[in-house]
Amino acid sequence: METGSVTTPFGRRSMTLGMLASQVMAGEIKPDQSVDKWKLFRALCEAKPLLGIGDRALAVLNALLSFYPKNELAQGNGLIVFPSNIQLSLRTHGMAEQTVRRHLAALVDAGLLLRKDSPNGKRYVRRDRAGEVDEAFGFSLAPLLARAEEIEQLAAAVMAERLHVQRLRERITLCRRDIAKLIEAAVEEDIPGDWQGLYSEFRDLIEGLPRSPTTAQLELLLDELTGVRTNILNQLEIQVKSTKQRGNAVYIERHIQNSNPESTSEIEPSFETKQGAIAEPDNDRGSVTAAKGRGETGHPFEQKEEGQSRRAGVRNDGGGLKSFPLGLVLQACPEVLAYGPDGVIRNWRDLMAAAVIVRSMLGVSPSAYEEAANVMGPENAATVMACILERGGHINSAGGYLRGLTRRSEKGEFAIGPMLMALVRANAPAGRKVG
């Protein structure tokens, strides 16, 4: 059995105070103290970041434990194992002997093993006449037994920290999703506010996070994202309280008052397509559009190249699709600027003129474009055409794609907002992440 005396390492290996402290600790093991070796090994695997050991060192320790004949580590069972490096190499699935020796030294330095070297440095055992172990030379597992409670506490701390980080990441993910969707909803509903500025602030916070953040960095990010979300919610709640809500609280209608006594007030189209909402055109002035509501005069959609005029029965509400600010459309689709008059797009009329040129360039038939304008509305058809130009490299047939969007718009299954926001993110300045 173990003599309990202090032993020094064989050969050139020097004695350290750490080795002495481990031997003193091993000598303080209580006679009745025991622990399940595999349960303790699982705790070691959890606590490895705090113990300063790696995966391969644990593989070597696992091999050493497999040479211990009992499942319970106990003083009465003996705590010395004495496999050769060749045997350890086999049980570590062919790990090189030099690597095995290096990780054995790491386990000793970490205070998880003790060397009990023989006079010649070999590992072996002497037995008595009854076959019982009299004295063994090799590696002592006593430090594991002595530090079992400490190792289990470290493992519990690591697991608690991991759970805390996981919950932080979950809350950050939810907060990111809330912010992105709330900003998108605000843009789609044309609610006043610096939404692009808030989105840029949001992206700056996300992109400032390191690839492997600390817990403190995650906590700080969550606090900042929560502040941004609260700011957005406050602005949206103010807008909700200041508007007259319909019976269905999901959709909010904003009434646009027109001071012209000859015109009638119109309700801004909601996000969903309204089936069967056909408006009669005014033969004197053309259909009323959102562009006229912004002070622009004249009919906002003229296809002079095609020589076609709009027919009776056209959807003046754009099929229920939401119109978006021209500035947002140009930010999402900068390529369409080159097709405007003199290379500039100042208003919706310029964008629609550019869309006719883009339509012809991409091979979209006049009938497909006119149908889209009738179903979606002229402004939205021009916006979709600009989006198709921006994504031209990913679309095989622009005409077929436009007809598909028209069919979806008729069924109320298409919205322009997500398409625009995706392009805004894709066209973000270089060096910024897309998300």
Side-chain angles (χ1 to χ4, degrees):
M1 302 298 290
E2 290 186 82
T3 60
S5 61
V6 173
T7 60
T8 56
F10 172 78
R12 297 180 179 179
R13 291 191 294 269
S14 59
M15 183 68 176
T16 66
L17 290 178
M19 293 180 186
L20 181 60
S22 296
Q23 293 187 36
V24 171
M25 182 184 298
E28 297 174 353
I29 297 175
K30 299 177 182 178
D32 59 344
Q33 186 175 349
S34 66
V35 64
D36 185 285
K37 64 179 182 180
W38 298 123
K39 181 180 177 181
L40 181 61
F41 181 74
R42 286 192 293 272
L44 274 169
C45 292
E46 292 287 352
K48 67 177 181 178
L50 301 180
L51 293 171
I53 54 175
D55 297 338
R56 306 201 77 185
L58 285 174
V60 173
L61 181 59
N62 180 78
L64 282 173
L65 289 174
S66 69
F67 284 100
Y68 189 77
K70 305 288 186 179
N71 281 333
E72 292 287 327
L73 286 177
Q75 188 77 30
N77 296 332
L79 294 171
I80 303 293
V81 289
F82 39 87
S84 66
N85 286 341
I86 295 177
Q87 291 173 317
L88 285 174
S89 178
L90 291 174
R91 294 208 185 180
T92 52
H93 308 287
M95 186 182 295
E97 290 186 37
Q98 183 178 1
T99 305
V100 170
R101 287 194 293 271
R102 185 170 69 251
H103 290 301
L104 285 171
L107 291 169
V108 172
D109 291 341
L112 300 176
L113 288 180
L114 282 179
R115 293 182 185 273
K116 186 177 180 183
D117 289 340
S118 64
N120 62 2
K122 301 294 183 180
R123 300 171 203 153
Y124 58 87
V125 62
R126 288 199 183 101
R127 300 181 183 274
D128 56 22
R129 292 185 178 181
E132 298 294 331
V133 175
D134 182 43
E135 188 171 14
F137 297 97
F139 290 101
S140 172
L141 303 176
L144 291 178
L145 181 58
R147 300 180 62 185
E149 184 176 352
E150 174 196 352
I151 291 170
E152 289 174 354
Q153 291 175 352
L154 292 175
V158 169
M159 288 187 286
E161 178 70 9
R162 184 187 303 124
L163 181 60
H164 178 55
V165 169
Q166 179 183 348
R167 290 177 176 173
L168 280 175
R169 290 184 179 276
E170 289 174 351
R171 293 172 64 187
I172 288 173
T173 298
L174 292 173
C175 204
R176 289 180 60 178
R177 184 178 71 192
D178 292 346
I179 292 172
K181 289 186 178 292
L182 287 171
I183 291 177
E184 183 176 332
V187 171
E188 289 178 353
E189 295 294 337
D190 201 15
I191 296 175
D194 183 17
W195 304 116
Q196 183 60 35
L198 285 171
Y199 182 78
S200 298
E201 179 184 354
F202 163 57
R203 293 309 308 173
D204 288 341
L205 290 175
I206 297 301
E207 291 157 14
L209 191 68
R211 182 176 294 273
S212 300
T214 63
T215 303
Q217 289 171 326
L218 289 174
E219 291 173 343
L220 178 60
L221 176 63
L222 179 59
D223 289 342
E224 292 174 333
L225 289 178
T226 301
V228 173
R229 181 175 61 180
T230 302
N231 185 15
I232 295 172
L233 285 173
N234 288 340
Q235 295 188 47
L236 295 180
E237 287 174 2
I238 291 172
Q239 182 66 22
V240 169
K241 292 177 182 178
S242 65
T243 57
K244 184 178 180 180
Q245 298 189 14
R246 294 168 54 184
N248 183 354
V250 178
Y251 301 104
I252 300 175
E253 296 176 342
R254 290 184 293 130
H255 296 269
I256 303 175
Q257 300 296 332
N258 194 327
S259 59
N260 188 342
E262 296 182 358
S263 65
T264 58
S265 298
E266 62 175 359
I267 298 175
E268 184 177 33
S270 64
F271 186 80
E272 296 282 341
T273 298
K274 302 172 184 177
Q275 297 293 336
I278 307 298
E280 293 298 329
D282 188 325
N283 294 328
D284 295 330
R285 298 189 304 276
S287 60
V288 178
T289 64
K292 187 171 182 180
R294 285 187 291 273
E296 297 178 13
T297 60
H299 198 291
F301 178 64
E302 294 177 353
Q303 288 182 299
K304 294 182 180 180
E305 290 96 338
E306 299 166 6
Q308 298 175 353
S309 61
R310 300 188 59 186
R311 305 184 299 271
V314 171
R315 296 174 184 267
N316 292 332
D317 64 349
L321 286 181
K322 175 74 176 174
S323 296
F324 291 86
L326 180 61
L328 177 63
V329 175
L330 296 181
Q331 182 183 1
C333 310
E335 290 188 17
V336 78
L337 289 168
Y339 300 92
D342 300 324
V344 179
I345 294 179
R346 304 176 184 85
N347 49 46
W348 281 105
R349 183 184 298 277
D350 290 348
L351 178 62
M352 293 171 197
V356 172
I357 299 174
V358 171
R359 172 203 66 71
S360 178
M361 182 190 70
L362 295 180
V364 177
S365 66
S367 61
Y369 186 51
E370 182 182 10
E371 183 182 8
N374 290 343
V375 173
M376 301 178 185
E379 290 180 347
N380 290 328
T383 299
V384 170
M385 207 69 242
C387 292
I388 292 176
L389 173 66
E390 199 71 23
R391 297 283 294 171
H394 304 275
I395 298 173
N396 294 327
S397 173
Y401 186 70
L402 180 62
R403 287 188 184 276
L405 294 183
T406 303
R407 299 284 81 80
R408 290 175 57 193
S409 182
E410 287 180 327
K411 299 175 182 178
E413 299 174 352
F414 172 61
I416 299 177
M419 179 186 293
L420 285 176
M421 293 305 294
L423 290 174
V424 168
R425 291 192 292 268
N427 292 327
R432 297 174 67 87
K433 297 181 183 177
V434 177

